[in-house]
C-alpha cells in the first residue's frame, strides 16, 4: 500500500509540474501559426498563437471567514465571505433549513412548500372510480420514508431495511442512522395493508412489504427496485461507489451526488481554492486512483520556476450551489445531467448520449482548462455556470420546489429556467463588480435546451451565449411541440408576475453572431454542438479508424413523431414519408430511418459510409443529429 501511495504521489507531482508548464507549448512561430490556423476565418487564431507568454502566478488564496462557519453544513468561499450550502440548507451561514419533501400534490402558485403527511387511505381507489397510476404529474410520490433534503423515497422506517433519518438534534449534514433501500417512483404500492388500491401505486403490496420476500423486509428479496441515486448499485442497492462531481472536487473534497464537501483548508465549487497557509498537495486521487483521470486543475497548483501562460484567461463564477450542483442533488436519478459517471468497480462510464450533458461537461472542461484563472481580477472572460436544462429535465418535473427563489417559480419549464438565469444575473451583479466592467460582453452563458437561447431573458443578451441553434429570425415564437416549453405564452399572476413573462424576452434573433461596438454593444453568440463520447463516433477516421469507402449518398436516423408536427415543423415527417414512399434507399441510395428502426450497424458506421449526413431540425438539443 505504501509503495502504491508513493507511486501515486510521484505521478501527481509529474502532473502538477506538467500543468504549470503546459501553456508554454502553445506559443508558435509565424510559420507554425499559419499552419495551425490555416482555413480559419479572421485573425484571432494567429494572434493567439503568436502572443507573448506572460509569467504564471500563484493562485489566489482565501483569507476571509463565513458566518458560523457555514453551520458546519456548507463551505465558505473565503475570498468573498459567503457560504455555498448543500441541499437541505440555505441562507446566510447555511443556517436556514430548506426542505424538499416528497409530495402528493402539485403547487401551482407562490412559495408555500407542500409537505403532506402520508396517509395511504386518502389515496385509496374506491370501487367504481377511475384509477390514476401517478397523481399530479409528480415522480416524488412516497409511501415510505422521505429524504426530504432531496425528495427521494426510501422503504418505511418500521421495515427491516427501511430508512431511519438522523436524530432531530443531529449536526447539519449528519448521515441517517440507517440509509435504507430506495423505493422510487416505479416501486410504490398498488394496495394498502387492507388491500384497497392506491391511486398512484405501481407494484403489489407484497412485492415491497412481505416479511419473507419483500424488498423492504427480506435479506434476499424476490424482486428489485431501481437504485436510482448516483453511486449506488447491487442486487439490493448495497454497493457504494464514487459519486460524480465536476473535476471530482479537485481531489480535495468528498463528492455527494454532485456537491463537493471540501476538505479543511480548501473551498470553492470544485475545491480548487485553498486558504492562505495551506500547502499545494496531492488529494484523494492518491488513495482513489479511479478518480485520477478526472482530477485536473492546472490553476490550483503553484507554478514552476519561469513558468508562463497565455491569454485568454477565464474565471468560472463562484456562486451559491442553487444554480449548479443543487440541480445535480435534486435530479435524484444519477443517470441525468452528467456526461460521465462511475459504475460498479468505480469504472468511469462516459455517456454516449445523455440529456443535455454539455452543462456539466462544459463546466468541467473550463474548470480543468489551462486558461482557467482563480483570480477574477485578471480574467478576460467570465463563465456563469447555471444548469437550466437540468432544472427543466428532470428537476422541475420530479417534485415540488424549492427549484430556486424567484417570483416565477410557477408556469412552464422555460419560464422557470429563464427566471433562474435572471436570478443568477442579479446575484452576480450584487456580489461581484465584473459585469459592469464591459456591460456583460465578456460573460459567457450556456443555453442547451430544445429551442436554444430563444427564451433567455433580455438582461443577459449583451453576453456571449452558447447554444446549439442558430435561429436568426426576428419576432420569433416558440416552435416546440411540448406545451410546458412554449415560451411564447404570457404567463402572469396578479401578485407574483402582474406583467407576465414575455416582456423579459427579446424580439430580436435567438442567435446573433455579430459583435456590437461601443459601450452599448453586445457580444457575438456562438453555436456549439451537442456533447458525445468518442464511442459514439468509434468508426471515425478522425479518431484513428481506417477510412472506409463512402458507399451511400445520404443518411439520417432520428425521431420522427408523426403525431406531433411542431416537433420539427413537419420537416422530418415530410422527408421520411417521401423517402419511404418513393424508395429513396433503392432509387437514390439515401437512407432515412426512424430512431425505432433496429439495425445491425452502429450510428458511427452509417456516418462513415455516407457522403452526406443530414442534421434536420427536430426536438432540439437532444435530437439534432440522432
Amino acid at each position: 500500500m505504501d509503495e502504491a501511495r508513493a507511486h501515486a504521489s510521484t505521478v501527481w507531482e509529474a502532473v502538477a509540474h506538467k500543468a504549470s508548464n503546459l501553456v508554454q507549448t502553445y506559443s508558435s512561430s509565424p510559420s507554425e501559426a499559419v499552419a495551425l490556423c490555416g482555413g480559419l476565418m479572421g485573425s484571432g487564431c494567429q494572434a493567439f498563437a503568436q502572443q507573448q507568454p506572460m509569467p504564471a502566478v500563484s493562485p489566489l488564496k482565501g483569507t476571509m471567514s463565513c458566518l458560523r462557519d457555514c453551520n458546519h453544513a456548507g463551505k465558505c468561499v473565503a475570498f468573498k465571505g459567503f457560504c455555498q450550502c448543500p441541499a437541505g440548507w440555505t441562507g446566510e451561514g447555511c443556517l436556514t433549513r430548506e426542505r424538499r419533501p416528497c409530495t402528493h400534490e402539485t403547487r401551482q402558485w407562490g412559495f408555500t412548500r407542500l409537505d403532506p403527511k402520508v396517509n395511504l387511505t386518502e389515496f385509496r381507489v374506491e370501487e367504481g372510480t377511475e384509477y390514476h397510476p401517478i397523481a399530479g404529474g409528480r415522480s416524488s410520490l412516497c409511501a415510505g420514508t422521505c429524504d426530504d433534503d432531496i425528495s427521494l423515497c426510501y422503504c418505511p422506517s418500521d421495515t427491516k431495511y427501511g430508512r431511519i433519518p438522523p436524530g432531530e438534534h443531529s449536526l447539519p449534514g449528519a448521515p441517517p442512522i440507517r440509509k435504507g433501500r430506495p423505493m422510487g417512483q416505479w416501486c410504490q404500492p398498488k394496495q394498502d395493508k387492507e388491500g384497497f388500491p392506491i391511486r398512484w401505486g405501481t407494484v403489489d403490496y407484497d412485492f415491497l412489504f412481505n416479511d419473507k420476500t419483500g424488498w423492504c423486509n427480506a435479506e434476499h428479496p424476490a424482486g428489485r427496485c431501481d437504485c436510482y441515486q448516483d453511486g449506488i448499485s447491487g442486487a439490493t442497492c448495497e454497493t457504494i461507489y464514487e459519486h460524480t462531481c465536476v473535476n471530482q472536487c479537485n481531489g480535495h473534497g468528498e463528492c455527494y451526488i454532485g456537491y463537493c464537501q471540501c476538505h479543511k483548508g480548501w473551498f470553492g465549487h470544485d475545491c480548487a481554492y485553498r486558504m492562505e497557509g495551506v500547502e499545494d498537495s496531492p488529494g484523494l486521487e492518491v488513495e482513489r486512483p479511479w478518480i485520477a483521470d478526472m482530477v485536473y486543475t492546472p490553476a490550483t497548483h503553484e507554478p514552476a520556476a519561469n513558468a508562463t501562460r497565455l491569454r485568454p484567461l477565464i474565471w468560472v463564477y463562484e456562486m451559491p450551489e442553487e444554480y449548479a450542483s443543487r440541480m445535480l442533488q435534486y435530479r435524484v436519478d444519477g443517470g441525468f445531467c452528467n456526461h460521465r459517471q462511475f459504475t460498479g468497480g468505480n469504472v468511469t462510464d462516459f455517456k454516449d448520449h445523455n440529456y443535455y450533458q454539455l452543462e456539466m461537461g462544459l463546466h468541467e472542461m473550463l474548470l480543468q482548462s489551462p486558461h482557467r484563472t482563480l483570480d477574477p481580477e485578471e480574467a478576460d472572460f467570465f463563465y456563469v455556470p447555471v444548469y437550466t436544462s437540468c432544472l427543466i429535465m428532470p428537476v422541475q418535473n420530479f417534485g415540488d420546489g424549492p427549484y430556486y427563489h424567484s417570483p416565477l417559480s410557477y408556469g412552464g419549464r422555460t419560464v422557470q429556467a429563464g427566471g433562474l438565469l435572471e436570478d443568477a444575473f442579479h446575484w452576480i451583479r450584487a456580489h461581484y463588480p465584473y459585469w459592469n466592467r464591459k456591460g456583460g460582453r465578456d460573460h459567457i452563458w450556456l443555453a442547451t435546451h430544445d429551442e436554444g437561447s430563444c427564451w433567455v431573458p433580455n438582461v443577459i443578451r449583451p453576453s456571449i451565449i452558447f447554444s446549439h441553434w442558430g435561429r436568426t429570425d426576428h419576432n420569433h415564437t416558440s416552435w416546440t411541440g411540448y406545451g410546458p416549453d412554449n415560451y411564447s405564452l404570457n404567463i402572469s399572476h396578479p401578485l407574483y408576475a402582474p406583467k407576465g413573462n414575455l416582456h423579459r424576452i427579446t424580439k430580436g434573433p435567438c442567435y446573433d453572431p455579430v459583435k456590437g461596438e461601443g459601450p452599448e454593444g453586445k457580444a457575438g453568440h456562438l453555436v456549439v454542438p451537442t456533447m458525445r463520447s468518442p464511442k459514439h463516433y468509434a468508426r471515425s477516421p478522425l479518431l484513428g479508424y481506417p477510412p472506409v469507402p463512402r458507399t451511400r449518398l445520404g443518411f439520417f436516423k432520428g425521431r420522427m413523431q408523426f403525431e406531433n408536427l411542431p416537433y420539427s415543423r413537419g420537416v422530418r415527417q415530410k422527408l421520411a414519408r417521401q423517402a419511404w414512399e418513393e424508395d429513396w434507399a433503392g432509387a437514390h441510395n439515401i437512407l432515412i430511418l426512424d430512431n425505432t428502426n433496429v439495425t445491425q450497424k452502429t450510428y458511427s458506421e452509417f456516418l462513415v459510409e455516407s457522403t452526406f449526413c443530414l442534421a434536420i431540425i427536430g426536438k432540439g438539443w437532444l435530437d439534432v443529429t440522432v
Side-chain angles (χ1 to χ4, degrees):
M1 181 64 180
D2 290 341
E3 184 178 331
R5 286 177 59 86
H7 173 71
S9 182
T10 301
V11 171
W12 177 86
E13 290 173 2
V15 169
H17 186 269
K18 178 182 178 183
S20 67
N21 288 281
L22 182 63
V23 292
Q24 296 184 75
T25 63
Y26 282 18
S27 188
S28 306
S29 67
S31 60
E32 291 172 330
V34 170
L36 175 68
C37 303
L40 295 179
M41 298 176 64
S43 59
C45 179
Q46 292 192 34
F48 165 76
Q50 296 183 66
Q51 68 174 290
Q52 284 296 115
M54 59 184 190
V57 297
S58 295
L60 180 71
K61 309 296 196 308
T63 59
M64 300 179 70
S65 60
C66 289
L67 179 66
R68 302 278 183 89
D69 197 21
C70 300
N71 199 21
H72 306 287
K75 51 195 174 184
C76 177
V77 179
F79 60 79
K80 289 295 288 184
F82 71 86
C83 295
Q84 294 173 320
C85 309
W89 301 89
T90 190
E92 188 176 7
C94 301
L95 294 170
T96 303
R97 203 71 173 96
E98 184 175 57
R99 303 287 189 181
R100 191 189 189 213
C102 300
T103 180
H104 314 285
E105 301 177 33
T106 301
R107 175 168 58 95
Q108 297 296 328
W109 307 101
F111 303 98
T112 302
R113 304 284 181 244
L114 292 177
D115 194 4
K117 303 302 179 185
V118 178
N119 182 356
L120 293 184
T121 60
E122 296 178 7
F123 302 98
R124 288 177 172 180
V125 180
E126 302 298 336
E127 186 175 354
T129 61
E130 186 179 357
Y131 180 75
H132 299 282
I134 297 294
R138 299 296 181 187
S139 305
S140 63
L141 302 159
C142 184
T145 298
C146 183
D147 176 353
D148 56 8
D149 285 345
I150 60 173
S151 197
L152 182 61
C153 187
Y154 288 86
C155 289
S157 298
D158 60 358
T159 58
K160 185 176 180 180
Y161 293 97
R163 182 179 184 84
I164 302 178
E168 183 179 352
H169 300 294
S170 299
L171 287 173
I177 297 172
R178 186 173 65 203
K179 184 167 185 176
R181 293 176 182 170
M183 204 172 85
Q185 61 174 312
W186 307 118
C187 261
Q188 296 293 311
K190 290 192 293 187
Q191 310 91 10
D192 60 16
K193 288 182 179 180
E194 286 74 34
F196 285 93
I198 305 301
R199 289 185 182 277
W200 37 267
T202 53
V203 298
D204 289 335
Y205 186 88
D206 277 355
F207 179 93
L208 293 167
F209 303 125
N210 183 280
D211 289 340
K212 296 181 178 179
T213 61
W215 170 253
C216 295
N217 281 317
E219 180 180 0
H220 302 290
R224 181 180 184 274
C225 292
D226 288 333
C227 298
Y228 276 91
Q229 201 176 48
D230 190 17
I232 301 174
S233 69
T236 57
C237 303
E238 77 287 356
T239 304
I240 307 298
Y241 46 87
E242 201 79 38
H243 292 191
T244 304
C245 287
V246 290
N247 201 23
Q248 285 310 119
C249 306
N250 186 39
H252 287 284
E254 290 289 345
C255 176
Y256 177 62
I257 51 174
Y259 174 82
C260 289
Q261 187 62 61
C262 301
H263 295 159
K264 183 176 178 59
W266 295 82
F267 65 94
H269 188 81
D270 65 336
C271 307
Y273 295 85
R274 62 184 189 273
M275 298 293 293
E276 189 72 52
V278 175
E279 295 294 325
D280 189 7
S281 63
L284 292 175
E285 68 272 22
V286 175
E287 300 176 359
R288 304 177 191 176
W290 54 86
I291 73 169
D293 289 341
M294 312 304 151
V295 175
Y296 183 69
T297 324
T300 199
H301 299 299
E302 293 295 336
N306 301 318
T308 59
R309 53 191 177 148
L310 295 178
R311 292 191 179 277
L313 299 178
I314 186 166
W315 187 65
V316 180
Y317 266 100
E318 289 292 336
M319 304 167 65
E321 300 290 359
E322 283 87 340
Y323 298 102
S325 75
R326 183 67 54 82
M327 296 302 163
L328 298 179
Q329 291 191 280
Y330 280 172
R331 78 193 191 274
V332 176
D333 189 333
F336 284 89
C337 306
N338 51 18
H339 62 292
R340 61 171 178 83
Q341 67 182 132
F342 295 93
T343 58
N346 285 311
V347 174
T348 298
D349 176 26
F350 286 97
K351 299 292 187 180
D352 186 32
H353 186 50
N354 204 345
Y355 282 98
Y356 316 105
Q357 60 200 40
L358 188 61
E359 269 184 346
M360 181 179 174
L362 179 62
H363 191 188
E364 182 167 84
M365 284 186 272
L366 293 176
L367 294 174
Q368 296 180 343
S369 170
H371 290 277
R372 180 188 182 185
T373 177
L374 298 189
D375 185 356
E377 292 294 336
E378 66 174 7
D380 300 295
F381 295 98
F382 299 83
Y383 182 68
V384 190
V386 184
Y387 289 10
T388 53
S389 290
C390 193
L391 166 71
I392 288 173
M393 180 69 183
V395 172
Q396 190 271 347
N397 281 346
F398 186 82
D400 190 58
Y403 311 128
Y404 61 96
H405 306 291
S406 169
L408 289 180
S409 57
Y410 66 89
R413 304 192 305 180
T414 52
V415 172
Q416 295 191 36
L420 186 66
L421 289 173
E422 194 166 313
D423 282 1
F425 161 78
H426 289 298
W427 192 91
I428 63 175
R429 289 200 68 191
H431 291 82
Y432 293 103
Y434 308 113
W435 180 274
N436 294 337
R437 190 173 71 171
K438 293 186 178 180
R441 286 176 293 166
D442 51 3
H443 282 54
I444 300 171
W445 307 72
L446 180 66
T448 65
H449 197 59
D450 295 351
E451 295 194 272
S453 67
C454 293
W455 47 267
V456 165
N458 291 329
V459 291
I460 70 170
R461 282 284 166 190
S463 300
I464 301 165
I465 300 176
F466 290 175
S467 73
H468 65 289
W469 201 9
R471 185 178 176 185
T472 58
D473 54 316
H474 289 255
N475 299 313
H476 53 83
T477 56
S478 177
W479 290 348
T480 186
Y482 183 63
D485 288 345
N486 186 348
Y487 66 81
S488 298
L489 298 177
N490 193 32
I491 300 174
S492 63
H493 183 268
L495 176 60
Y496 301 112
K499 295 182 180 179
N501 63 287
L502 288 184
H503 70 285
R504 292 178 166 86
I505 303 174
T506 182
K507 295 297 183 182
C510 306
Y511 166 73
D512 188 351
V514 179
K515 184 173 183 177
E517 300 296 334
E520 301 301 322
K522 60 183 180 300
H525 300 172
L526 289 176
V527 169
V528 295
T530 184
M531 188 176 186
R532 294 285 192 166
S533 77
K535 62 188 177 184
H536 187 73
Y537 304 106
R539 300 300 181 100
S540 170
L542 297 176
L543 297 180
Y545 195 82
V548 299
R550 296 190 180 272
T551 57
R552 186 177 299 101
L553 178 60
F555 167 70
F556 174 81
K557 186 175 189 289
R559 296 178 74 185
M560 297 300 176
Q561 291 200 24
F562 291 102
E563 76 290 350
N564 182 14
L565 292 180
Y567 164 78
S568 69
R569 304 194 75 201
V571 175
R572 291 193 183 199
Q573 298 92 338
K574 183 175 181 178
L575 182 75
R577 286 195 178 97
Q578 191 164 343
W580 298 342
E581 291 171 1
E582 299 177 5
D583 187 25
W584 286 10
H588 309 295
N589 201 15
I590 298 174
L591 186 62
I592 306 295
L593 298 174
D594 186 88
N595 71 323
T596 59
N597 290 118
V598 178
T599 60
Q600 296 299 315
K601 293 183 178 180
T602 65
Y603 188 76
S604 184
E605 287 177 289
F606 281 121
L607 291 180
V608 298
E609 294 173 357
S610 304
T611 302
F612 299 100
C613 299
L614 306 180
I616 308 169
I617 185 174
K619 183 177 181 180
W621 183 273
L622 186 62
D623 284 326
V624 168
T625 58
V626 179

